[in-house]
């Protein structure tokens, strides 16, 4: 090992010690925002319930795997946000939207799914959205209740974070300063808004797509968790338009 390599390795040891110890410190500083993360976890319970009781029963194993990945993306976003890695948490939310749409697309396209497994098929967000907007299962459902408009808007915002096309999504605050994370409470509030809208949109999309599963007294346990994820306005519209009642458990 050269002296130069030895110096780099020593720098790595210092860097590794600093960032691993900083995680615990960040969480301690963000405890003042703990209600944000409690509310987030309640919302994420709705994705888990939808996965177990709807997606895995209505989709084949391979297409359902996309939604499992979407659920995992949402959890990664939650954990990343809990220690202040905001940009990474927003990137995971973007992936969550993509994987949800892929699950529903590949459910209807088994040939393309087989091609995807070999790397021979890829589909972009615009094409996924165009397909979902024409989906017969969503025919007759008010656009505000399909979740698609909300997901399209959030995807656009989250893409700006992924591509670094807006200063508000940068982690660095000075040209000569590197920041892996930030404990600024304002960042927590910004993340909370994005995560709340993404989960709300996904839940509405799955309810609209499989609405026959929710009528009457069906899936009461799932509807109990959905209360924490779906806005009051959307809950009221669901009850009026689709006869699906979601109330506080």
């Amino acid at each position: 090992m050269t002296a130069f390599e030895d110096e780099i390795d020593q720098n790595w040891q210092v860097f590794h010690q600093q960032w691993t110890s900083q995680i615990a410190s960040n969480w301690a500083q963000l405890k003042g925002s703990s209600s944000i993360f409690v509310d987030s976890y309640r919302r994420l319970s709705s994705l888990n319930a939808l996965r177990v009781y709807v997606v895995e029963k209505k989709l084949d194993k391979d297409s359902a795997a996309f939604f499992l990945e979407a659920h995992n993306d949402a959890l990664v976003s939650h954990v990343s946000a809990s220690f202040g890695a905001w940009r990474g948490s927003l990137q995971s939310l973007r992936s969550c939207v993509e994987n949800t749409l892929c699950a529903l697309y590949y459910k209807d396209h088994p040939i393309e799914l087989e091609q995807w497994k070999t790397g021979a098929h890829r589909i972009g967000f615009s094409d996924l959205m165009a397909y979902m907007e024409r989906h017969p299962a969503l025919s007759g459902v008010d656009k505000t209740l399909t979740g698609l408009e909300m997901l399209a808007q959030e995807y656009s915002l989250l893409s700006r974070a992924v591509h670094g096309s807006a200063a508000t999504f940068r982690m660095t605050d000075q040209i000569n300063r590197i920041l892996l994370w930030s404990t600024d409470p304002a960042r927590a509030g910004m993340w909370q808004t994005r995560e709340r809208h993404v989960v709300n949109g996904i839940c509405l999309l799955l309810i609209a797509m499989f609405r026959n599963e929710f009528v009457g007294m069906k899936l009461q346990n799932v509807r109990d968790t959905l209360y924490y994820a779906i806005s009051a306005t959307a809950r009221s519209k669901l009850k009026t338009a689709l006869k699906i009642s979601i109330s506080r458990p």
Side-chain angles (χ1 to χ4, degrees), residues 234-246:
R235 294 198 304 268
S236 178
K237 289 183 177 180
L238 284 170
K239 186 172 183 178
T240 301
L242 301 182
K243 310 304 180 187
I244 296 174
S245 179
I246 297 174

Side-chain angles (χ1 to χ4, degrees), residues 55-66 103 106-110 113-114 117:
V55 173
E56 292 181 355
K57 295 184 182 301
K58 303 297 290 186
L59 276 63
D60 62 275
K61 181 179 179 181
D62 288 338
S63 56
F66 283 96
Y106 285 116
K107 170 183 74 72
D108 298 338
H109 296 82
L113 179 55
E114 291 302 311
K117 293 177 184 179

Side-chain angles (χ1 to χ4, degrees), residues 18-20 22-23 26 83-86 171 179-183:
Q18 287 177 339
W19 77 257
T20 51
Q22 189 65 46
I23 288 178
N26 286 3
F83 54 80
W86 305 115
M171 287 302 300
L179 291 175
L180 301 180
W181 32 55
S182 167
T183 55

Side-chain angles (χ1 to χ4, degrees), residues 43-88:
R43 285 191 292 272
L44 296 186
S45 69
S46 67
L47 296 186
N48 184 60
L50 287 168
R51 177 179 63 84
V52 173
Y53 294 101
V54 178
V55 173
E56 292 181 355
K57 295 184 182 301
K58 303 297 290 186
L59 276 63
D60 62 275
K61 181 179 179 181
D62 288 338
S63 56
F66 283 96
F67 191 75
L68 174 60
E69 188 69 10
H71 183 206
N72 189 73
D73 288 331
L75 288 169
V76 169
S77 178
H78 175 95
V79 172
S80 298
S82 72
F83 54 80
W86 305 115
R87 189 175 182 194

Side-chain angles (χ1 to χ4, degrees), residues 186 193 229:
T193 299

Side-chain angles (χ1 to χ4, degrees), residues 21-22 24 39 43 92 97 108 111-112 115 121 126-127 149 153 180 189 198 223 241 246 249:
S21 63
Q22 189 65 46
D39 289 343
R43 285 191 292 272
S92 293
V97 175
D108 298 338
I111 294 176
E112 287 80 358
Q115 293 173 330
H121 185 268
S126 296
D127 289 334
E149 289 183 345
Q153 181 179 11
L180 301 180
V198 165
R223 286 187 282 128
I246 297 174

